[in-house]
Structure formats: structure tokens, C-alpha cells
Amino acid sequence: MSLENAYHGRLGDYFARTAGTSPFNAFTDRPAMLELAGDVAGSRILDVGCGAGHYTADLLDRGACVTGIDGSATLLRHARERVGSRADLRLHDLDSPLNFAADASFDAAVCALVYHHIAARDQLLTELRRVVRPGGWLVLSTTHPTAEWHHHGGSYYDGTWVDGTLADPSMAIRYQRMTLEALTNEWLSAGFTLERLVEPRPLSQLREVDESRYDRLSQAPSFLAVRLGSP
């Protein structure tokens, strides 16, 4: 993710440790995103904000050729431990242009739960349109606007940057609140087409692991995920 808001140090270690089994990541967002991606065998995919490599590993296992980028050296260390040399992993500030990539050098891109941490989103979207070939796609997930509204209160239209607390109250993550209108207009203004939008529900298996979280995630959305086409 962006260098300023990336999960560095102890925060990166915490995310790497929990994301593999988290009700939010492992049971809700990741299954929905992989379903949106579909058959990726033989595809060249850019994992934008690859974090600790959970998506990279799943995409590799499905036969994709993956390049992963993230602004956190801590998370990239965990990603390298997870996938070894099977992927090209790069330290990259997502608020900077994708200068390492040629035009149309990827078939697709994945951007999972990192979009709301990025300040230069217009630039990133423009760059993704450049590096993803015509006819390719981008699957992207972010926090659900209504979930943020219910959590923080105030105006739904509040677009300020906020600090979200984690289970460990000594750590926080910084991100921007956005409306559904703002999100959709950013994607369309960059030239992408909206192919599909989902509000991910948890896998039924979560009920056996954490019934209260399963009930909560089944009744109100936490995330928003889209598949965007690159004409």
C-alpha cells in the first residue's frame, strides 16, 4: 500500500499473523475476490498491495504468474516466506507511478482491501489502466461505505481520513472514508467499466469457527468488491 499508510513493523507482523484465519479476510473478503477473479490459469496478474502474500499464494496455486507490490518491507518479508521465489515481489509505494511495468504488461490486477489507504487513487487507477492490457480486468475490494458510516457516525458523506483501531488498541490503521458515489465515479472516470459488484457474505464454515462474527457479517456488509473491465 502507500508508504505512509502501509502496515510497518509490529502492525505488519500483526496483520501477517491474523489475516490467514481472520473472519474478515479469510472467510469473507478473500473468497469473494477470488470468485470475482475466476479462472486465472496462465494469466499475468499484478497484486496491488499484496501484503503478507495471502492472495499472491492463492493466485499462484490457481496457475497465475504473479507480481506483488506493497509499501511495507515488513509485509513483503512475510510474503516472501509464504511464496518463496514463485512470485516477483517488490517494495513499492502505491502513491507512486508503476514505473517498473510496461504498458499492457499484465492481463489483470487484484487490489484487496488497500484502496482506502491510498491518497493518489486517481494516479493509481490511471497507471492500472496503462499496465493492464485491453480486455483485461481489475478486481478490487474496500471497506463498505455504510459500515464506515455506522462505525464512525456523523455524516455518511464525510470523506475525511480516519484512524481505525484493531483488536490490539495500541495499533491503528489510517484510511479515508468514501461514499459509494465517490468510489464508483473514481473507477468509471479512470476508464474502467463496472462488470460486477458484490457485498461479500462470509463462508458458511465461519459459523463453526466464530458464530457471533458469522451472524454479524451475514446481517450487515463490511466490504464492497467489484470486477472492473479494462476496455
Side-chain angles (χ1 to χ4, degrees):
M1 60 186 65
S2 67
L3 190 61
E4 180 182 359
N5 298 323
Y7 296 1
H8 301 291
R10 194 163 64 93
L11 179 58
D13 291 333
Y14 173 85
F15 178 79
R17 183 174 67 252
T18 59
T21 57
S22 162
F24 300 99
N25 299 97
F27 287 90
T28 307
D29 181 71
R30 199 147 59 241
M33 287 283 280
L34 292 171
E35 195 275 332
L36 282 176
D39 182 5
V40 298
S43 297
R44 303 161 298 166
I45 296 182
L46 179 63
D47 187 355
V48 181
C50 64
H54 294 91
Y55 283 89
T56 296
D58 284 335
L59 293 166
L60 288 168
D61 290 344
R62 287 163 170 75
C65 176
V66 184
T67 296
I69 57 174
D70 201 279
S72 167
T74 302
L75 286 173
L76 283 178
R77 172 172 53 82
H78 287 285
R80 292 188 177 102
E81 291 173 357
R82 178 162 283 105
V83 304
S85 61
R86 293 195 295 155
D88 178 14
L89 300 176
R90 297 168 176 258
L91 183 64
H92 185 82
D93 183 353
L94 300 187
D95 281 328
S96 299
L98 305 177
N99 292 332
F100 63 88
D103 294 359
S105 54
F106 294 97
D107 298 304
V110 172
C111 185
L113 297 182
V114 68
Y115 191 72
H116 47 294
H117 295 293
I118 299 168
R121 293 188 302 274
D122 290 347
Q123 175 181 259
L124 176 62
L125 290 169
T126 298
E127 283 289 86
L128 289 173
R129 283 276 286 123
R130 178 182 67 81
V131 304
V132 172
R133 65 168 176 80
W137 48 263
L138 164 65
V139 293
L140 181 152
S141 62
T142 188
T143 55
H144 199 289
T146 60
E148 294 305 325
W149 179 34
H150 290 154
H151 178 73
H152 292 284
S155 170
Y156 169 77
Y157 300 101
D158 184 354
T160 57
W161 287 82
V162 295
D163 292 317
T165 56
L166 302 173
D168 183 337
S170 69
M171 294 184 288
I173 55 175
R174 189 161 181 77
Y175 59 93
Q176 187 173 13
R177 292 177 60 179
M178 288 175 281
T179 64
L180 180 59
E181 176 184 43
L183 287 166
T184 305
N185 285 335
E186 286 184 1
W187 302 330
L188 298 181
S189 295
F192 287 100
T193 59
L194 179 59
E195 296 183 353
R196 190 176 171 197
L197 182 151
V198 298
E199 295 166 306
R201 281 77 154 173
L203 296 178
S204 59
Q205 293 93 315
L206 179 60
R207 187 196 297 271
E208 307 302 319
V209 178
D210 189 331
E211 187 171 5
S212 63
R213 284 284 174 82
Y214 174 82
D215 290 341
R216 172 186 164 187
L217 289 166
S218 297
Q219 293 171 16
S222 288
F223 304 126
L224 182 72
V226 292
R227 179 172 168 127
L228 304 172
S230 181

